[in-house]
């Protein structure tokens, strides 16, 4: 698969799996799609704001609680119960959102740590390591056959060597840069060979199928040309027939 046909851009960090296969994309720690709880909080308290809970929120909750309690004890102040409840809800808006975001961050962090244990991290902020992984992904996406499987194992070993050396950081110094560059060049060359071989195999398989079944545009065009040629031979043009008939009748009159 060419670079411009990759399914999606690679992130800044990927994980090299323990066994040959596509690299593992870790989940994002900072963003997540909204769920049912987020929608419920938006309906109750409106769109989220970046502020954190503070003294104002505590004051709203405390004041609302006092007002609600007073309204329940004083029969003539029942209307104050609604004011107290609204004040409590306003005071709880930011704390509830903050608590839910903290739970989400903790969940994503645990999921992220669990995925990190599935492979070795490889930093792709350096162009050489990014090109290395892109070439590896082209090999991993190639049609499966014994040659492609061996190529994937060799490229996977190169990724393991680089990830073990760098341990999640970018190359430092000339020696590390050359170490990564040599493996990048070898994997890119191998990826080109694997992809070209896959294309040749696909063309050969299609050509064999066409020869075996006759389902080919070339065959159809040849059949069409033969049919048109046979039609022209069996039905000569009317003009020529008319000319030949006139000449024949003229010869008979002269006789």
């Amino acid at each position: 698969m060419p670079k411009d046909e990759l399914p999606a851009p690679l992130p800044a960090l990927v994980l090299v799996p323990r066994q040959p296969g596509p690299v593992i994309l870790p989940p994002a720690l900072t963003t997540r799609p909204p769920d049912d709880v987020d929608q419920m909080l938006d309906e109750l308290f409106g769109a989220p704001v970046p502020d954190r809970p503070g003294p104002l929120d505590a004051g709203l909750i405390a004041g609302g609680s006092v007002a609600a309690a007073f309204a329940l004890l004083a029969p003539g102040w029942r209307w104050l119960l609604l004011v107290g409840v609204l004040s409590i809800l306003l005071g709880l808006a930011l704390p509830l959102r903050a608590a839910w975001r903290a739970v989400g961050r903790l969940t994503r962090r645990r999921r992220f740590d669990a995925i990190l244990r599935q492979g070795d991290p490889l930093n792709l902020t350096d162009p050489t390591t990014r090109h290395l992984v892109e070439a590896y992904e082209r090999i991993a996406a190639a049609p499966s056959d014994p040659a492609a499987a061996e190529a994937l194992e060799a490229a996977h070993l190169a990724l393991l060597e680089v990830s073990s050396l760098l341990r999640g950081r970018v190359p430092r110094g000339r020696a590390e840069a050359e170490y990564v560059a040599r493996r990048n060049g070898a994997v890119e060359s191998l990826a080109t060979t694997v992809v070209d071989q896959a294309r040749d195999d696909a063309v050969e398989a299609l050509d064999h199928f066409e020869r075996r079944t006759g389902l080919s545009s070339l065959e159809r065009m040849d059949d069409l040309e033969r049919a048109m040629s046979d039609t022209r031979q069996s039905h000569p043009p009317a003009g020529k027939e008319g000319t030949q008939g006139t000449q024949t009748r003229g010869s008979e009159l002269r006789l």
Side-chain angles (χ1 to χ4, degrees):
M1 178 183 297
K3 295 179 182 178
D4 56 352
E5 296 181 6
L6 290 174
L10 294 170
L13 179 73
V14 297
L15 299 175
V16 180
R18 308 297 184 191
Q19 300 297 328
V23 295
I24 302 172
L25 306 181
L29 288 177
T30 55
T31 59
R32 65 174 177 82
D35 54 16
D36 295 338
V37 177
D38 293 316
Q39 295 177 1
M40 181 185 68
L41 292 174
D42 290 344
E43 292 176 358
L44 289 175
F45 305 114
V49 294
D51 298 337
R52 295 183 177 181
L56 178 60
D57 303 287
L60 288 172
I61 295 173
S65 300
V66 172
F70 181 79
L72 292 174
L73 295 175
W77 295 79
R78 294 297 184 182
W79 59 270
L80 195 59
L81 178 61
L82 178 60
V83 176
V85 172
L86 292 177
S87 178
I88 293 173
L89 290 176
L90 290 176
L92 288 175
L94 288 180
L96 287 176
R97 288 187 186 278
W100 182 245
R101 286 196 298 266
V103 172
R105 285 194 299 269
L106 180 60
T107 302
R108 292 192 298 274
R109 184 68 204 186
R110 289 177 177 174
R111 187 183 302 117
F112 185 83
D113 293 340
I115 292 179
L116 283 180
R117 291 191 290 270
Q118 299 177 12
D120 298 330
L122 185 58
N123 193 319
L124 303 188
T125 56
D126 182 81
T128 307
T129 55
R130 178 170 290 272
H131 294 161
L132 172 64
V133 174
E134 288 177 347
Y136 173 80
E137 288 291 275
R138 292 168 61 193
I139 297 175
S144 178
D145 58 49
E150 292 183 6
L152 181 61
E153 291 182 2
H156 179 255
L157 179 59
L159 255 66
L160 286 177
E161 292 172 346
V162 172
S163 61
S164 299
L165 172 68
L166 300 180
R167 297 186 180 279
R169 56 177 175 81
V170 297
R172 297 175 183 172
R174 181 177 178 181
E176 290 186 355
E178 290 181 353
Y179 184 91
V180 178
R182 287 197 301 270
R183 281 150 183 80
N184 174 47
V187 173
E188 283 189 334
S189 177
L190 184 60
T192 301
T193 302
V194 169
V195 172
D196 290 344
Q197 181 64 37
R199 290 172 178 169
D200 294 342
D201 292 344
V203 173
E204 183 179 354
L206 180 60
D207 185 60
H208 176 71
F209 173 79
E210 291 177 348
R211 290 196 305 269
R212 182 167 55 87
T213 62
L215 300 177
S216 170
S217 60
L218 299 178
E219 295 289 341
R220 294 184 64 183
M221 285 187 287
D222 289 342
D223 293 342
L224 182 60
E225 288 185 358
R226 285 195 295 269
M228 294 175 65
S229 177
D230 294 341
T231 302
R232 286 194 298 267
Q233 293 177 1
S234 59
H235 300 284
K240 292 184 178 180
E241 286 186 350
T243 303
Q244 292 176 356
T246 302
Q247 292 176 353
T248 302
R249 287 194 295 270
S251 299
E252 293 176 351
L253 290 175
R254 285 194 301 270
L255 292 175

